[in-house]
Amino acid sequence: MGGSDTTAKPKRHAVITGLAGFCSGATEAAVTMPFDTIKTYCQVQKTGITPVTAARDIHKLKGIGGFYFGLPAVLVQVAGKGAIRWSAYEQFKGGLQAAGAPKASIDLFAGMGAGFAEAFLWTTPTERLKVLRQNDIRSGLNRYSSLPSAVRTVAAEHGITGLYAGIGACGLRQASGVGVRFAVYGRVKALLSSDPPQMWQSALAGGITGCVSTALNHPIDVVKTRIEAQDGKQKEYNNTMQAFRSIVREEGVRTLYRGIAPRMVKISLGQAITFTAYERYSDALAGVAGALGIFGGSSTSALASAA
């Protein structure tokens, strides 16, 4: 995806890209969840805390299981957004190519469009539920012990719109992160890859891509987490810009980078898994579809063709 060549590649059926995205997203979530929990724990603290201290606190308060608080919401979120992301990316990319957009910008803008789509359709409500569950560790309460009860609690106390708290920050984070990842991945992979690319080369390119996107948009992730962690009628943060200004004014600019270490590990590892797994799942599903004569299956993945 992206990189030096965005022309003449076989376009996968939306069912194949959606299923491959779903599978790769679920694989990523199962592996990287502890880093996400540590990241969130760091970000919701009003005073600075190191990732190591956060990990110790989580283990002391909730044991090993504490690192997987919010896992059901994460699995639903990541798997679902993976399906939306890859399908939307292919649709946006096809539209931009048909419109004659500059080749160098296609992956970036298609990725940004996919990021906005997943944020509004899926990521914001599931991210809200995940953060509330993870915040139970710090609060000592157990208000969001299961995914169904969390939905009922939020809906009863805040209405359905309560699930969309932080939608502005989440949309900005997803659009910037996904856009950068799609734009950078193909270029990095082209520098690293042999022909055909090996699995470690795809993984390394994905990891580098994750580091770049994390470094660029971590501040908006902190703002998003603070807004989504609010539980109750009294809210300190009302919108993205007000939250940003309040955090900087009261806690300093450094607060906007709180939790960046575990997030960078989580995102870089996650992207290494996601991009590598997506290619393999896509090839496998296309092969099965080709054998069955459905969904226009073929043996060449969209990513591999574009790299």
Side-chain angles (χ1 to χ4, degrees):
M1 128 204 13
S4 57
D5 184 11
T6 58
T7 61
K9 68 180 184 70
K11 183 177 179 180
R12 288 278 160 84
H13 192 281
V15 171
I16 293 176
T17 58
L19 285 174
F22 181 93
C23 294
S24 62
T27 303
E28 173 206 348
V31 174
T32 63
M33 182 69 195
F35 298 104
D36 187 78
T37 304
I38 294 170
K39 180 269 296 185
T40 299
Y41 191 86
C42 289
Q43 290 179 339
V44 297
Q45 304 297 324
K46 287 290 186 178
T47 56
I49 184 172
T50 68
V52 173
T53 301
R56 288 173 179 164
D57 284 354
I58 294 168
H59 185 265
K60 180 180 179 180
L61 292 168
K62 298 295 181 180
I64 294 296
F67 292 100
Y68 291 89
F69 265 41
L71 180 60
V74 170
L75 285 173
V76 170
Q77 178 205 109
V78 176
K81 79 179 181 183
I84 295 170
R85 176 183 299 177
W86 291 99
S87 297
Y89 169 78
E90 294 294 347
Q91 296 305 311
F92 279 117
K93 186 169 185 175
L96 288 167
Q97 288 175 329
K103 292 180 181 179
S105 69
I106 287 177
D107 290 310
L108 174 64
F109 288 113
M112 290 178 67
F116 270 121
E118 70 179 60
F120 283 92
L121 293 174
W122 195 259
T123 306
T124 299
T126 53
E127 187 78 3
R128 165 77 159 151
L129 296 172
K130 180 210 72 173
V131 170
L132 286 172
R133 176 55 174 157
Q134 291 175 330
N135 200 41
D136 274 348
I137 299 172
R138 182 178 67 96
S139 69
L141 303 175
N142 199 34
R143 284 166 49 78
Y144 304 100
S145 57
S146 70
L147 189 58
S149 68
V151 173
R152 288 194 298 269
T153 300
V154 173
E157 296 183 2
H158 306 286
I160 294 299
T161 57
L163 292 171
Y164 284 87
I167 190 170
C170 190
L172 289 172
R173 185 195 71 167
Q174 294 306 113
S176 60
V178 176
V180 169
R181 290 169 201 165
F182 275 99
V184 171
Y185 175 78
R187 290 164 174 79
V188 173
K189 186 179 173 185
L191 295 174
L192 295 173
S193 292
S194 56
D195 188 19
Q198 299 180 34
M199 184 178 293
W200 72 266
Q201 293 169 329
S202 297
L204 181 58
I208 293 172
T209 300
C211 287
V212 172
S213 65
T214 301
L216 290 174
N217 77 352
H218 190 75
I220 195 65
D221 185 69
V222 174
V223 172
K224 177 203 70 68
T225 298
R226 288 291 184 90
I227 295 173
E228 291 176 339
Q230 295 181 121
D231 187 16
K233 294 183 179 179
Q234 295 297 322
K235 291 183 169 54
E236 184 177 358
Y237 309 115
N238 298 314
N239 57 62
T240 301
M241 287 306 300
Q242 180 266 333
F244 181 87
R245 289 193 297 265
S246 177
I247 292 169
V248 172
R249 182 178 63 251
E250 297 177 11
E251 302 175 57
V253 174
R254 292 181 62 182
T255 302
L256 295 173
Y257 290 90
R258 192 170 291 166
I260 191 170
R263 183 171 181 247
M264 188 164 285
V265 173
K266 185 257 182 186
I267 296 294
S268 59
L269 178 60
Q271 293 308 297
I273 293 169
T274 297
F275 279 106
T276 306
Y278 177 82
E279 294 183 355
R280 271 59 190 182
Y281 284 128
S282 183
D283 285 345
L285 289 167
V288 172
L292 296 175
I294 56 176
F295 303 136
S298 66
S299 60
T300 304
S301 77
L303 283 173
S305 301

